[in-house]
Amino acid sequence: MNKLFSNALYIVCCSMSLLAACTKTETVAPPAERSNRILAYRVTNVAGDTILGVVNDPDSVIRVYLPYYYYLTSLVPDIQVSAGATVTPASGTLVENLLDVFDNGRDIRYTVTGQDGSKATYRLLIEVQQPDFTVDELTTDPASPAEYVNNDIGDVPVYLSWYGDVSSGNQELDRQLIRVTLTGEEGNAYVVDNNAGFKLSSGPSYVFFYLPPNSAASLPTGLYHISIRFYSKTVTLQNPVRIVQP
């Protein structure tokens, strides 16, 4: 009996030792935070509001979701970085000409220099939350293009279908937000000069634009596709129109 008891006690002690070894934990210190991080990105030039950007550290990307109805053409960012770090361009530096960003794309980057001299670069991506709009065709039969005379008094109505109003309520701003481009068969693009006479109707119905002054050099006779950019989105009419000299 004593021998059996001793063997049993030995087995119990070994089991308890193994259990203690299995449940033993070690505390591992987390890796130190980088000293060259962007912690927060806010757009502040919105009356009575602030737009918070989303900072993605692993991808080094800042994503700003911009409501279209503010019709911002520039951003004033408030940027918070790691303690002791600096950022270039600095917090408060205007991100200018957003319409060019929407039309042509532009690489916007911020470089953060940590207190230890290390650097990290973040890319700014702007996503405008703007609904789609459609443009009614001026040419209903592609075999018979609608015809307009190229002169300095004629205007062309372009009908828009839009959920809501296409106007910002500011005529001068509308002239920036809306751009009409005529692209000829040879691929040359002619941008209508909004300042020469560009207006919106009082409701979300149609846009008038004036053709350029009579000049074969500025707008030769031929077929043209019309594109309309309103703020961040562009729609191109599927069927061309014909522009002729008077």
Side-chain angles (χ1 to χ4, degrees):
M1 290 293 294
N2 290 339
K3 185 175 181 180
L4 290 174
F5 178 78
S6 297
N7 288 341
L9 183 60
Y10 174 76
I11 292 171
V12 171
C13 290
C14 289
S15 299
M16 293 180 64
S17 298
L18 289 173
L19 181 61
C22 291
T23 57
K24 183 179 180 181
T25 59
E26 293 184 6
T27 301
V28 179
E33 283 194 354
R34 294 190 351 248
S35 63
N36 52 15
R37 299 174 59 217
I38 288 181
L39 305 179
Y41 189 98
R42 302 177 181 88
V43 176
T44 60
N45 58 317
V46 181
D49 200 358
T50 298
I51 299 171
L52 300 179
V54 179
V55 181
N56 184 327
D57 252 349
D59 294 337
S60 298
V61 166
I62 308 159
R63 202 175 294 271
V64 171
Y65 296 93
L66 200 62
Y68 82 94
Y69 46 78
Y70 290 125
Y71 298 117
L72 295 180
T73 57
S74 63
L75 303 180
V76 180
D78 175 33
I79 306 172
Q80 181 184 349
V81 296
S82 303
T86 59
V87 59
T88 306
S91 178
T93 302
L94 273 176
V95 179
E96 298 182 286
N97 201 351
L98 291 187
L99 298 179
D100 177 65
V101 175
F102 304 148
D103 290 341
N104 305 307
R106 190 168 78 233
D107 201 27
I108 305 171
R109 294 180 183 268
Y110 292 93
T111 300
V112 184
T113 304
Q115 199 169 22
D116 58 1
S118 61
K119 295 181 182 293
T121 300
Y122 290 78
R123 185 182 180 196
L124 176 64
L125 300 179
I126 302 170
E127 296 188 18
V128 182
Q129 298 172 308
Q130 177 179 350
D132 293 331
F133 68 94
T134 59
V135 182
D136 294 343
E137 294 289 333
L138 298 177
T139 294
T140 55
D141 180 5
S144 180
E147 191 169 283
Y148 297 90
V149 178
N150 180 22
N151 57 36
D152 56 359
I153 58 173
D155 57 5
V156 180
V158 179
Y159 297 86
L160 303 180
S161 301
W162 179 268
Y163 184 74
D165 199 339
V166 298
S167 172
S168 70
N170 181 326
Q171 185 176 4
E172 290 305 313
L173 179 59
D174 288 338
R175 288 177 176 175
Q176 300 176 52
L177 300 180
I178 298 181
R179 185 189 67 183
V180 177
T181 303
L182 289 84
T183 303
E185 296 174 281
E186 76 289 356
N188 292 335
Y190 302 84
V191 177
V192 176
D193 182 4
N194 295 354
N195 294 324
F198 193 92
K199 58 184 177 181
L200 283 170
S201 65
S202 58
S205 51
Y206 42 113
V207 173
F208 289 95
F209 65 92
Y210 290 92
L211 292 172
N214 178 20
S215 169
S218 64
L219 198 62
T221 294
L223 294 177
Y224 291 84
H225 280 281
I226 296 177
S227 297
I228 295 183
R229 183 257 282 144
F230 178 62
Y231 196 43
S232 70
K233 293 196 173 185
T234 299
V235 171
T236 300
L237 276 68
Q238 182 176 355
N239 299 327
V241 300
R242 183 180 299 279
I243 305 298
V244 297
Q245 300 294 325

